Amino acid sequence: MLTALEVDRIRIADIDAQIRDLERTLAALRVEKWFAQERLDSYKYPVLTLPNEIVSEIFVHFLPPYPACPPRRGILSPTVLTQICGKWREIALATPMLWRAIKMIPDDVISATKQGYTLAMWLSRSLCCPLSIHAEEHPEYFETERFLKTVVPHRARWEHLNLLELGSSYPLLTIEGPMPQLRALQLTVDPDRLRHTAVKISFHEMPMLRTVTLNDGAIACISLPWAQLTSLTLIRVYPSECFPILQQASSLVHCRLDIFSDTDNEHPNPIRLPNLQSLALTLADVAVEGYLETFLVPALNNLEITEGFLMPNPIGSLRSFISKSGCKLHRVHITDYGAVRRESYREAGLAIQKFSFKGRYLSVSGYYSVSSDEED
């Protein structure tokens, strides 16, 4: 009969044998793992074999087309590209065009301090690229004046500038000065918050400025080099406010006006725009009769107009306008019409190649109907 010591010796021998078997198995697994890792390490993922320049170009096309601004966070933000892998992060941070379009809007989630940090970081990463700047004011969540103080040192790089819903003209004092690369400006000032003592600021060192959008509040705050503009949009303005601007903007090619009716509907002075090709007139309130005929636009080929501007005789007004301006209209788009049937416009013998209509209209049966955008 075996003693307890002999039993333990036999057990240890068995355990040693099992350990040797396991070690041989483990060694075989380690060898198999090594070969598998070698195969993985030798494999080149196609996307990682692309030259950095190609990846950078793909990244740029991943974002909304410039000058549109991507969101600061989320799937369409350039920050996403820094979170995929180390190589992509390096490429994204070394691609200034990813960071050249900056939008700062009211945000009750991100603090003003963090927004300021993000802004400074994007500006730094954009290096020497021209900039697209978009800001919307909100007294509680976002202060435009603080934002502008951060971006002013980069003013020489501004190419597109959108400042919306300003409460006064005072933030504009922050940016007064030369903007040598600025091509497009959109500015809206809340007229209900605008003080009667608003400061009017002149910006004339903008040699590249061509496209401008202003609302009624902004017109009261700003003076621009109107003569060099080729595209102008004025929102919720009176004809009397438009007149001095349009008189100076002789280089306009495209013009869109959203008009309020003056108490005095007389428009004695003509507006001569010899290069204008596209004109859009929409009504902010009631009809402004006779306003269209104040325009002398011999190069015009595209007219979009609310029928209220053509009253009381829409077809006669169009005929008189064409004759007076000497223009050859390619297309006329009439909105919110009802005084004249579509067929009457088309059969009036006007020298217009295409008519299109949108809004309510008077049908052949005499009833008002709703029309989608229709074109001959």
Side-chain angles (χ1 to χ4, degrees), residues 23-43:
E23 286 177 341
R24 284 192 291 270
T25 301
L26 186 60
L29 290 173
R30 286 197 177 102
V31 171
E32 185 178 353
K33 176 187 175 183
W34 185 86
F35 281 113
Q37 189 64 54
E38 279 286 296
R39 289 193 296 272
L40 288 175
D41 292 343
S42 65
Y43 180 77

Side-chain angles (χ1 to χ4, degrees), residues 286-322:
V286 299
V288 183
E289 297 178 8
Y291 186 57
L292 176 63
E293 294 191 41
T294 63
F295 287 86
L296 297 178
V297 283
L300 192 71
N301 57 47
N302 194 331
L303 174 65
E304 177 182 335
I305 190 166
T306 303
E307 194 177 59
F309 287 102
L310 302 174
M311 299 301 289
N313 179 6
I315 293 176
S317 295
L318 271 178
R319 182 175 283 112
S320 174
F321 167 71
I322 294 170

Side-chain angles (χ1 to χ4, degrees), residues 6-300:
E6 291 174 333
V7 170
D8 287 340
R9 291 189 185 99
I10 294 171
R11 178 59 184 153
I12 288 174
D14 290 340
I15 292 173
D16 285 339
Q18 292 180 42
I19 289 174
R20 286 191 294 272
D21 290 341
L22 291 173
E23 286 177 341
R24 284 192 291 270
T25 301
L26 186 60
L29 290 173
R30 286 197 177 102
V31 171
E32 185 178 353
K33 176 187 175 183
W34 185 86
F35 281 113
Q37 189 64 54
E38 279 286 296
R39 289 193 296 272
L40 288 175
D41 292 343
S42 65
Y43 180 77
K44 298 295 184 183
Y45 290 93
V47 69
L48 296 180
T49 64
L50 293 173
N52 289 357
E53 295 80 3
I54 300 298
V55 177
S56 178
E57 189 69 20
I58 292 172
F59 284 178
V60 171
H61 284 81
F62 164 77
L63 300 181
Y66 181 84
C69 299
R72 285 168 293 164
R73 61 182 189 275
I75 188 61
L76 294 179
S77 171
T79 56
V80 170
L81 301 172
T82 68
Q83 301 166 357
I84 307 301
C85 66
K87 181 178 180 180
W88 280 21
R89 177 178 175 81
E90 291 177 3
I91 296 173
L93 295 179
T95 305
M97 288 191 296
L98 295 179
W99 314 98
R100 60 181 172 169
I102 304 171
K103 176 186 286 188
M104 303 298 284
I105 59 176
D107 195 322
D108 58 354
V109 176
I110 301 179
S111 67
T113 301
K114 189 168 184 179
Q115 289 188 64
Y117 171 77
T118 301
L119 173 61
M121 182 173 60
W122 283 40
L123 287 169
S124 174
R125 292 174 180 174
S126 67
L127 298 182
C128 297
C129 283
L131 297 174
S132 175
I133 303 293
H134 180 106
E136 297 178 23
E137 185 168 81
H138 190 291
E140 184 175 352
Y141 300 126
F142 182 72
E143 297 179 11
T144 303
E145 194 166 353
R146 179 191 295 182
F147 165 81
L148 291 175
K149 287 180 179 178
T150 305
V151 298
V152 157
H154 305 268
R155 181 174 54 202
R157 295 197 285 136
W158 294 354
E159 189 173 33
H160 301 267
L161 180 63
N162 299 335
L163 301 178
L164 307 183
E165 298 302 321
L166 299 185
S168 74
S169 62
Y170 292 108
L172 299 177
L173 292 171
T174 309
I175 65 172
E176 190 174 11
M179 302 179 200
Q181 294 196 56
L182 191 68
R183 295 178 179 274
L185 171 66
Q186 181 178 5
L187 175 63
T188 63
V189 179
D190 185 351
D192 295 330
R193 295 164 56 199
L194 185 64
R195 300 178 183 177
H196 295 295
T197 57
V199 177
K200 188 146 188 172
I201 305 168
S202 295
F203 292 94
H204 292 289
E205 296 180 86
M206 301 174 168
M208 303 299 292
L209 185 64
R210 296 295 182 269
T211 301
V212 169
T213 298
L214 304 173
N215 75 335
D216 51 342
I219 289 176
C221 298
I222 194 168
S223 176
L224 295 170
W226 308 110
Q228 68 190 47
L229 302 184
T230 59
S231 179
L232 176 64
T233 299
L234 301 179
I235 303 168
R236 299 175 65 83
V237 293
Y238 292 104
S240 57
E241 294 175 313
C242 297
F243 180 76
I245 295 174
L246 295 175
Q247 284 287 76
Q248 301 175 64
S250 58
S251 299
L252 284 181
V253 177
H254 306 286
C255 182
R256 176 174 290 273
L257 305 175
D258 182 38
I259 298 293
F260 273 117
S261 175
D262 277 329
T263 53
D264 180 6
N265 277 339
E266 293 186 8
H267 315 290
N269 298 312
I271 300 171
R272 293 180 174 84
L273 300 172
N275 303 302
L276 195 70
Q277 298 178 17
S278 173
L279 174 63
L281 297 176
T282 60
L283 286 172
D285 56 356
V286 299
V288 183
E289 297 178 8
Y291 186 57
L292 176 63
E293 294 191 41
T294 63
F295 287 86
L296 297 178
V297 283
L300 192 71

